[in-house]
């Protein structure tokens, strides 16, 4: 790729053509590992014959390896002027004569040898050699990347040279154009077309269906926690649901973040024994990210039974429980399931690299990320979640320090090392696998920090905290109407209720329940409760977002013609205890409508409680945990809080649109 050489190609060709006697046969000579055929022999021969010469070499716009020979090259009217030795074709006698006086070493340059033949006017004429100047037969990519685009035809794909408006038959990723070659190879000639989709995705699959569970490949799963990350306990819940026999899984968990030590140790304590083996690196060991990843790879590399290494970073939300089976079935050296960040074009792969080895957007990146093109894609960079064959770690990737680099981060160092060994990395978007969390703004000063993630990771927040029946509530008519203009519906799940109560108790600064209250405008509360306001725990913005996303749609459905922006002055959690404040006297609320969410369960956490609307003499006496009561605040719905007779009752109250 970077130095002269290739003499062995001429030596082998010379030996081969010495045996060939036919005068009419045409030989095609090409490099192999970085070449793709866009069409077949019929088109190739036709174009060769149209060249009206006995030998046709590929052409290049750049001269190599000796720039001093430029003046000796004949000028061409249009097209590339310089010879490329990576592809040529011609009649056997002419080829035989051309290589007859080769005596060079294998380390000598084949390109220089053929160049000297071509720039010698007498030999050029005697052998009847020309160049394919307009790339009708051969397309060398080096120096021509801007000239080559994909051309989608009916059920097939060609590379088109836009400079000369030609469709080359053979594409050659010479020099430093291997990645662009891989990109073209994702399509040409028919790996992926608009008509057929992916045509290679079902090739060479490894079936697990006939295996007993004890015969499944052994997989080491490497889990890496490098920064404070939301929803870590949910990550481990998902890991447990991964559809793969746990006695064929070994875990390597590297945790650099003390904040998550409790969640990791809790998982290992409760579930570690389910797995074949567990190795855990704790924060106090102060092992950096690259060292931990190198060690994890080595755990698989040295284990004779290890078949695969599955990298799984903590910020990966793996929704597809069959991910591991799907990736193993694909039977590729390295394959990543595509995951993206919700609402963004950010994903765990790069479609191209910039000149300095960083991110560049490939032409097809957006179509792949948004699912308009689905298949298996050979890409230059993957991260976060991927599967590696153990046989690769024991051969091409046997160097211990794959992730360590003075200038690159661990993922980039790994991908650089993989590319430099000529190993392909694929990304699979044939299935929906999951997403990746945003961790940039995750704060750790609260007890349940995930509650604050409604802006950064809204989908994960919803899955973690919103009642499972919420989304089908309107369709399945789950909204109940226990009293006139009072609506009762599922809103929070148990986790949300518990986290909110625990957060408030952890904060601990409950009001005294007196009329004088410096927290509110005017400093006087007419009907006081023992409570903590959302703004005391810096939760008012998140609470308003919650009301807007999950309560406003119900309000607009049940009170047609009324539209709310879910503004509030007062939103708070109330605590009722028999020996503290058991009930609340009749009152109106300072709101257009009020939301009242039960945060714990009657009969289990407390006795009594409920709400009575005096005008209608209508009571809700068994509030369900996580369900919300919605009712008008002023004028019509004069109401009281019924006595809590035992235990502690918690409710979250919002006076909306005061």
């Amino acid at each position: 790729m970077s130095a002269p050489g290739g003499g062995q190609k001429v030596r082998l060709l010379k030996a081969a053509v010495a045996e060939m006697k036919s005068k009419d046969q045409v030989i095609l000579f090409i490099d192999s590992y970085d070449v793709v055929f866009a069409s077949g022999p019929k088109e190739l021969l036709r174009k060769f014959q149209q060249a009206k010469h006995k030998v046709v070499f590929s052409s290049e716009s750049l001269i190599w390896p000796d720039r001093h020979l430029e003046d000796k090259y004949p000028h061409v009217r249009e097209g590339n002027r310089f010879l490329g030795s990576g592809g040529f074709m011609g009649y056997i006698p002419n080829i035989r004569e051309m290589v007859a006086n080769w005596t060079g070493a294998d380390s000598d340059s084949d390109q220089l040898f053929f160049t000297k033949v071509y720039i010698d006017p007498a030999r050029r004429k005697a052998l009847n050699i020309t160049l394919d100047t307009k790339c009708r037969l051969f397309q060398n990519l080096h120096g021509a990347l801007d000239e080559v685009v994909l051309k989608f035809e009916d059920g097939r794909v060609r590379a088109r040279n836009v400079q000369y408006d030609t469709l080359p038959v053979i594409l050659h990723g010479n020099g430093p154009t291997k990645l662009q070659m891989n990109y073209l190879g994702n399509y040409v000639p028919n790996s992926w077309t608009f008509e057929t989709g992916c045509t290679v995705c079902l090739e060479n699959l490894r079936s697990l269906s006939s295996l007993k569970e004890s015969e499944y490949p052994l997989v080491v799963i490497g889990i890496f926690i490098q920064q404070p990350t939301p929803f870590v306990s949910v990550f481990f819940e998902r890991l447990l649901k991964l559809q793969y026999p746990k006695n064929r899984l070994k875990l390597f968990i590297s945790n650099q973040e003390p904040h998550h030590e409790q969640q990791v140790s809790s998982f290992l304590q409760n579930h570690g024994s389910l797995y074949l083996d567990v190795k855990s690196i704790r924060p106090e060991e102060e092992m950096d990210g690259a060292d931990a990843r190198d060690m994890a790879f080595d755990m698989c590399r040295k284990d004779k039974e290890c078949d695969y290494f599955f990298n799984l970073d903590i910020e990966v939300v793996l929704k597809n429980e069959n991910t591991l089976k799907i990736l193993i079935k694909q039977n590729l050296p390295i394959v990543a399931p595509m995951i993206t960040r919700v609402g963004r074009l950010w994903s765990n792969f790069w479609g191209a690299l910039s000149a300095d080895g960083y991110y560049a957007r490939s032409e097809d990146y957006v179509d792949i990320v948004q699912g308009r093109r689905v298949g298996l894609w050979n890409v230059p960079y993957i991260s976060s979640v991927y599967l590696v064959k153990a046989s690769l770690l024991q051969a091409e990737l046997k160097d211990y320090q794959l992730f360590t680099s003075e200038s690159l981060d661990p993922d980039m160092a790994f991908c650089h090392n993989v590319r430099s060994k000529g190993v392909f990395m694929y990304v699979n978007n044939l299935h929906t696998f999951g997403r990746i969390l945003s961790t940039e703004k995750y704060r750790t000063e609260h007890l349940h920090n995930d509650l604050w993630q409604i802006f950064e990771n809204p989908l994960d927040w919803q899955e973690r905290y919103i009642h499972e029946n919420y989304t089908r509530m309107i369709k399945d008519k789950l909204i109940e109407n226990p009293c006139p203009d009072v609506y009762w519906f599922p809103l929070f799940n148990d986790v949300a209720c518990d986290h909110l109560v625990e957060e408030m108790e952890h904060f601990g600064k409950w009001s005294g329940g007196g009329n004088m209250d410096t927290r509110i405008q005017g400093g006087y509360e007419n009907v006081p409760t023992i409570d903590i306001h959302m703004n005391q725990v810096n939760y008012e913005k998140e609470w308003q977002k919650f009301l807007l996303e999950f309560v406003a749609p119900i309000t607009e459905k049940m009170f047609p013609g009324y539209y709310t922006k879910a503004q509030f002055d007062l939103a708070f959690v109330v605590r009722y205890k028999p020996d503290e404040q058991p009930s609340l006297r009749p009152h109106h609320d300072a709101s257009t409508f009020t939301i009242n969410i039960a945060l714990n369960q009657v009969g289990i956490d407390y006795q009594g409680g409920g709400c009575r609307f005096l005008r209608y003499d209508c009571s809700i006496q068994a509030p369900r945990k996580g369900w919300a009561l919605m009712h008008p605040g002023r004028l019509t719905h004069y109401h009281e809080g019924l006595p809590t007779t035992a235990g502690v009752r918690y409710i979250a109250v919002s006076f909306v649109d005061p």
Side-chain angles (χ1 to χ4, degrees):
M1 276 173 70
S2 54
Q8 75 279 7
K9 293 190 280 186
V10 193
R11 172 173 57 80
L12 292 165
L13 178 63
K14 180 180 176 181
V17 291
E19 308 289 314
M20 298 179 188
K21 303 299 179 219
S22 167
K23 292 181 179 178
D24 301 327
Q25 271 190 312
V26 173
I27 285 182
L28 167 68
F29 184 94
I30 48 159
D31 285 355
S32 57
Y33 84 107
D34 52 3
V35 164
V36 168
F37 281 83
S39 185
K42 206 169 173 183
E43 182 180 338
L44 197 62
L45 275 169
R46 175 170 55 78
K47 288 182 172 178
F48 169 68
Q49 278 149 5
Q50 286 168 350
K52 297 191 167 98
H53 282 72
K54 298 288 188 182
V55 180
V56 179
F57 269 89
S58 71
S59 69
E60 299 192 43
S61 61
L62 305 170
I63 185 168
W64 193 81
D66 187 349
R67 294 203 339 264
H68 300 103
L69 298 175
E70 181 174 349
D71 292 344
K72 299 194 171 164
Y73 265 93
H75 285 278
V76 296
R77 210 169 37 241
E78 188 185 4
N80 297 325
R81 187 177 162 201
F82 306 113
L83 175 143
S85 64
F88 56 88
M89 63 191 296
Y91 289 96
I92 288 174
N94 303 68
I95 301 277
R96 190 188 302 118
E97 191 183 332
M98 182 171 72
V99 297
N101 51 5
W102 167 264
T103 54
D106 284 2
S107 57
D108 288 347
S109 169
D110 61 325
Q111 176 100 351
L112 188 59
F113 171 75
F114 289 123
T115 296
K116 286 180 174 173
V117 172
Y118 178 70
I119 61 175
D120 178 333
R123 295 211 67 198
R124 185 168 70 244
K125 189 175 180 185
L127 293 166
N128 197 5
I129 302 176
T130 190
L131 300 187
D132 175 32
T133 56
K134 294 187 188 174
C135 309
R136 297 177 76 245
L137 290 155
F138 306 98
Q139 176 68 64
N140 291 309
L141 292 180
H142 191 30
L145 290 179
D146 293 340
E147 296 170 13
V148 179
V149 298
L150 289 172
K151 180 178 188 285
F152 291 91
E153 297 177 344
D154 189 18
R156 59 189 286 193
V157 188
R158 298 292 297 257
R160 175 172 170 247
N161 184 308
V162 293
Q163 181 92 356
Y164 308 118
D165 196 19
T166 52
L167 297 173
V169 179
I170 292 163
L171 311 177
H172 180 203
N174 57 326
T177 63
K178 305 295 182 245
L179 299 184
Q180 187 69 9
M181 193 67 224
N182 292 346
Y183 165 76
L184 295 172
N186 282 330
Y187 296 94
V188 179
N190 58 4
S191 299
W192 191 96
T193 74
F194 282 108
E195 291 77 16
T196 61
C198 179
T199 63
V200 295
C201 292
L202 300 178
E203 289 179 4
N204 195 31
L205 298 181
R206 176 178 185 170
S207 173
L208 298 176
S209 56
S210 60
L211 299 180
K212 298 192 197 103
E213 289 205 340
S214 59
E215 298 169 335
Y216 268 55
L218 192 146
V219 183
V220 172
I221 301 182
I223 295 162
F224 301 93
I225 308 173
Q226 292 176 277
Q227 71 274 322
T229 304
F231 307 109
V232 165
S233 48
V234 185
F235 172 93
F236 284 115
E237 287 166 22
R238 287 211 179 91
L239 183 65
L240 283 169
K241 290 179 187 167
L242 200 61
Q243 293 298 302
Y244 203 84
K246 290 182 176 49
N247 61 1
R248 302 301 292 155
L249 295 176
K250 294 185 177 183
L251 299 184
F252 177 99
I253 302 177
S254 165
N255 178 24
Q256 292 172 253
E257 184 45 62
H259 176 69
H260 294 308
E261 189 55 19
Q262 187 271 325
Q263 289 150 312
V264 174
S265 57
S266 165
F267 168 75
L268 291 178
Q269 206 173 328
N270 296 327
H271 309 290
S273 59
L274 297 172
Y275 296 90
L276 190 57
D277 188 25
V278 175
K279 179 166 179 58
S280 177
I281 308 288
R282 301 180 60 168
E284 54 266 31
E285 296 182 50
E286 296 186 341
M287 182 179 289
D288 82 4
D291 289 344
R293 290 174 191 274
D294 284 330
M295 180 190 273
F297 263 32
D298 213 45
M299 177 173 158
C300 174
R301 187 184 285 120
K302 286 179 174 163
D303 185 339
K304 287 187 171 61
E305 293 195 330
C306 181
D307 296 299
Y308 292 95
F309 182 87
F310 186 45
N311 185 94
L312 193 56
D313 290 359
I314 198 73
E315 61 268 25
V316 172
V317 179
L318 210 55
K319 295 281 289 176
N320 190 327
E321 295 173 3
N322 291 306
T323 297
L324 193 47
K325 286 182 180 176
I326 289 166
L327 298 181
I328 289 172
K329 186 180 177 184
Q330 216 65 67
N331 200 18
L332 291 165
I334 301 177
V335 59
M338 186 188 79
I339 54 171
T340 60
R341 195 166 282 171
V342 178
R344 304 264 300 278
L345 287 172
W346 198 98
S347 74
N348 65 324
F349 79 96
W350 297 349
L353 295 185
S354 63
D356 53 0
Y358 286 85
Y359 171 82
R361 182 174 289 183
S362 62
E363 210 172 293
D364 56 0
Y365 179 80
V366 174
D367 281 346
I368 293 172
V369 168
Q370 295 183 341
R372 286 191 292 275
R373 298 183 190 180
V374 297
L376 283 171
W377 311 97
N378 184 336
V379 296
Y381 173 92
I382 54 169
S383 68
S384 305
V385 51
Y386 49 86
L387 186 74
V388 182
K389 278 189 177 178
S391 55
L392 206 60
L393 297 177
Q394 289 145 6
E396 291 95 329
L397 302 181
K398 63 179 182 289
D399 301 342
Y400 183 84
Q401 292 192 314
L402 291 171
F403 291 91
T404 307
S405 164
E406 287 183 12
S407 57
L408 300 172
D409 70 31
D411 286 329
M412 288 179 68
F414 168 65
C415 293
H416 171 80
N417 286 323
V418 170
R419 292 192 307 269
S420 66
K421 298 289 184 187
V423 175
F424 292 158
M425 296 172 277
Y426 294 87
V427 68
N428 176 333
N429 71 336
L430 292 158
H431 307 260
T432 303
F433 292 103
R435 55 185 178 267
I436 195 150
L437 292 167
S438 170
T439 59
E440 290 85 354
K441 295 181 182 174
Y442 187 61
R443 307 277 295 278
T444 57
E445 64 262 30
H446 302 285
L447 178 67
H448 293 296
N449 298 282
D450 294 350
L451 280 168
W452 275 259
Q453 285 293 301
I454 191 167
F455 289 106
E456 288 302 302
N457 292 292
L459 200 52
D460 298 270
W461 191 94
Q462 179 175 344
E463 287 180 2
R464 183 65 166 150
Y465 292 126
I466 294 299
H467 198 286
E468 62 179 0
N469 291 336
Y470 175 84
T471 47
R472 37 180 282 255
M473 178 167 56
I474 294 172
K475 182 165 66 81
D476 293 355
K477 300 188 168 60
L478 296 181
I479 302 175
E480 297 181 20
N481 185 201
C483 303
D485 281 330
V486 176
Y487 297 100
W488 201 18
F489 54 91
L491 188 54
F492 272 158
N493 61 20
D494 283 1
V495 175
C497 296
D498 295 346
H499 280 195
L500 202 52
V501 169
E502 288 163 16
E503 194 65 51
M504 293 306 183
E505 286 293 2
H506 178 71
F507 179 70
K509 296 176 183 173
W510 296 93
S511 66
N515 295 104
M516 306 309 292
D517 192 342
T518 54
R519 299 171 303 168
I520 62 174
Q521 210 172 358
Y524 184 85
E525 172 56 73
N526 196 27
V527 188
T529 50
I530 290 176
D531 55 43
I532 294 172
H533 289 187
M534 295 299 178
N535 61 9
Q536 288 179 263
V537 292
N538 295 320
Y539 201 59
E540 67 276 23
K541 284 180 185 162
E542 289 77 8
W543 192 255
Q544 201 230 342
K545 172 79 169 164
F546 153 68
L547 292 175
L548 199 56
E549 293 289 326
F550 300 101
V551 174
I554 310 299
T555 310
E556 290 164 12
K557 178 82 176 168
M558 305 326 294
F559 296 105
Y562 182 76
Y563 301 100
T564 178
K565 290 185 177 171
Q567 303 293 339
F568 61 84
D569 290 336
L570 289 177
F572 47 93
V573 171
V574 180
R575 183 172 76 185
Y576 290 117
K577 288 165 94 170
D579 58 349
E580 193 176 66
Q581 181 185 5
S583 60
L584 195 60
R585 65 180 176 81
H587 62 284
H588 283 296
D589 292 337
S591 68
T592 301
F593 68 95
T594 295
I595 296 294
N596 176 334
I597 308 167
L599 296 179
N600 55 353
Q601 189 59 53
V602 67
I604 296 172
D605 303 309
Y606 64 92
Q607 303 293 333
C611 180
R612 176 171 171 257
F613 294 94
L614 281 71
R615 179 184 176 95
Y616 308 107
D617 192 20
C618 180
S619 300
I620 293 110
Q621 286 185 315
R624 299 170 195 150
K625 185 177 181 180
W627 281 54
L629 274 180
M630 177 170 69
H631 60 83
R634 295 189 186 86
L635 200 63
T636 54
H637 283 64
Y638 194 55
H639 58 286
E640 63 181 335
L642 299 173
T644 298
T645 55
V648 186
R649 178 185 178 215
Y650 297 94
I651 58 173
V653 179
S654 308
F655 294 164
V656 187
D657 297 343

